[in-house]
Amino acid sequence: MSCTRCDIQREVEQTDVEQLILEQLMVEPMVVSDLIRQQRISFCESCPKRSAHTCTSCGCYYKFRASLPSKSCPIGQW
Ligand code: SF4
């Protein structure tokens, strides 16, 4: 028998984050161009604040945040 916390952690690990982000972006009214998105993502992917799919400064999935025109990097990288 496992504890609830372990079950939740396993569920999170099994979630396809990329798919989750794509699904969420499909319902967003505006997204940035592919070029802007890639430029932002490249900053995130070399950033020490990134942990796996998440920006530890803001708690967002960085690929999701990088896709939204209304968002910016919380430490001014983009
Ligand atoms: S949003 Fe900014 S702080 Fe967060 S991971 Fe990307 S570059 Fe780093």
Side-chain angles (χ1 to χ4, degrees):
M1 182 173 170
S2 59
C3 69
T4 305
R5 187 181 196 128
C6 295
D7 289 342
I8 291 169
Q9 183 61 33
R10 238 187 317 277
E11 192 172 314
V12 168
E13 288 168 0
Q14 288 170 0
T15 300
D16 185 339
V17 173
E18 297 281 347
Q19 185 62 33
L20 202 63
I21 291 169
L22 283 176
E23 287 171 9
Q24 185 58 42
L25 287 175
M26 287 170 64
V27 298
E28 288 294 327
M30 289 182 64
V31 294
V32 298
S33 69
D34 288 345
L35 178 63
I36 298 288
R37 183 171 190 267
Q38 279 313 311
Q39 288 171 338
R40 290 177 170 186
I41 285 173
S42 69
F43 276 110
C44 295
E45 290 185 336
S46 60
C47 179
K49 299 284 187 180
R50 182 181 63 86
S51 176
H53 297 282
T54 304
C55 169
T56 59
S57 281
C58 62
C60 295
Y61 289 133
Y62 71 93
K63 288 184 179 176
F64 181 68
R65 189 177 183 91
S67 303
L68 301 179
S70 60
K71 298 294 182 186
S72 59
C73 167
I75 63 168
Q77 294 298 303
W78 48 261

